[in-house]
Each structure stands twice: as C-alpha cells, then as structure tokens.
Amino acid sequence: MTTSAGAPNPFDAMFASRHTVLRRTDGSAQQWPVHRWCDTDSAADDLDRQFDTLVADRCHGATIDLGCGPGRLVDELVTRRLIALGVDSSTVAVAMARARGVTVLHRDIHGPLPGEGRWTTALLIDGNIGIGGAPDRVLSRAAALVRPGGTVLVEIDPAVEHIEYEEVRVEGDSYASTWFPWARIGLLGAESLCHGCGLTILGTWEHAGRQVVEMIRP
C-alpha cells in the first residue's frame, strides 16, 4: 500500500501491528485485512490465496505491482519464474518484502520507475486504485508503465457503483494517523476512467466477493 507524496505514511504502524481499521469522517470504520496483505500463515485463508493465484494467472510477462505492501504477489510471480517488481512507500512494508527475498522499491508510484512503458502487466490490487484520492491519476500512471498490448489489473469495490471520494485515517489499538484522501471505485467508475487513460476493458472477473477489471493498452 502507498499514499500520495508529501505526507507521513499512515501504513507503517499498520504493517507493524497488523491490526487496523479504516475510519471515515462519518465515524464508520472498516476492518482492513492486514493479515491478507502480509500473507501470514496463521491468518490468510484459502479464499485469499485462491484470489492471489487467479491474479497471478493473468500476469503473462514482466509485472510491476503498484502499492505492493509486503510483496506477497511479487513473491508469487517470482516463484512462477516471471520478472516482477514491487513498489511501495511504506518503510515497514518494504522491509517485510525484502525480508522475504523479493525485489521491492521504496518509492512513490508517481516517481521515476524502471522500465517505464515496457512492463507487460501492472497491478492495482487491494484497493490501490484509491491512492491519494485520485484514481484517474493512479490509473494513468499504471497505463504509462505498460507496453502497447500490456494489461492493467484493477481490483474494484463491488459495493460501489461509480466513484466515491473520501477522507480517511488508519487506526489501531494505540495509534491513529492523520486524515488523508482516498477513493473507492466500482465498475461504472472503472469504465469511465479507463477511456481517459487510453485503456480498454477486456473483461471482469470475481472470486469470493472480490472483483477485478482487466484493461489493455491498445
């Protein structure tokens, strides 16, 4: 996971504690599945692993994972002998990823990255399309990273129809971050955003209540 540049990263404490909720300004809170992102043996369940397998099945070449967190998907791709690189702005997440032996850069996704315009697949999984509350900017960045004919896999929120912009903060047992912008997008939102980013939707698929849109750069 990552945030927009210039603000303290609220996810460092989250990955360190592995217990957190996402608080919205209306007072509602959503439990965030940190155990899933960390892929801990005791907590990650079979449905999560099946979802990750389905994502990896659709990565057919060199893949860059934007907001990779502790690098579980990068690890999965490397075991398949694919070139894979993760990018995340959380110091803690990057350290966890490197500890498991995968290549992850500690950078903002909007900064310079290797292989721009030459990746076969870019991943925006675990809600990372909402980074910075600017899904159009995030998707445009992903589109610029893949080669012509390359694909972008975007996990969307089945509970959202179009795009919902919000201010949120990360809370744990003994900490709370500052408020920061976030966004959630549904299928209609994905359809409207992809055209402005020079992408075309190839299809969608769903597993265990999680939905992914596959887009191609013509």
Side-chain angles (χ1 to χ4, degrees), residues 138-156:
V138 173
L139 190 56
S140 291
R141 182 62 174 131
L145 287 168
V146 299
R147 61 173 176 78
T151 58
V152 181
L153 301 182
V154 182
E155 184 175 0
I156 60 174

Side-chain angles (χ1 to χ4, degrees), residues 9-110:
N9 195 298
F11 299 109
D12 283 341
M14 178 188 76
F15 284 118
S17 68
R18 302 190 183 186
H19 172 72
T20 194
V21 297
L22 187 72
R23 180 77 61 185
R24 298 185 171 88
T25 53
D26 64 3
S28 63
Q30 173 188 350
Q31 187 74 39
W32 265 16
V34 183
H35 67 272
R36 184 173 78 203
W37 301 332
C38 295
D39 191 28
T40 53
D41 290 340
S42 61
D45 62 29
D46 288 341
L47 292 178
D48 295 331
R49 296 184 188 280
Q50 291 167 14
F51 176 85
D52 289 352
T53 297
L54 291 172
V55 171
D57 287 344
R58 288 162 172 80
C59 299
H60 303 297
T63 299
I64 186 165
D65 185 359
L66 302 177
C68 66
R72 75 182 194 284
L73 287 171
V74 179
D75 195 12
E76 171 67 23
L77 294 170
V78 170
T79 63
R80 297 175 180 226
R81 301 184 182 277
L82 293 177
I83 296 172
L85 175 69
V87 184
D88 206 286
S89 64
S90 166
T91 302
V92 175
V94 169
M96 293 171 67
R98 290 174 177 172
R100 73 194 299 168
V102 298
T103 303
V104 172
L105 296 180
H106 184 212
R107 296 187 191 177
D108 186 288
I109 66 168
H110 298 292

Side-chain angles (χ1 to χ4, degrees), residues 162-183:
H162 203 273
I163 305 176
E164 293 186 2
Y165 299 94
E166 52 193 358
E167 291 285 322
V168 299
R169 73 181 183 187
V170 174
E171 297 180 1
D173 292 332
S174 59
Y175 70 92
S177 74
T178 58
W179 296 95
F180 58 92
W182 200 253

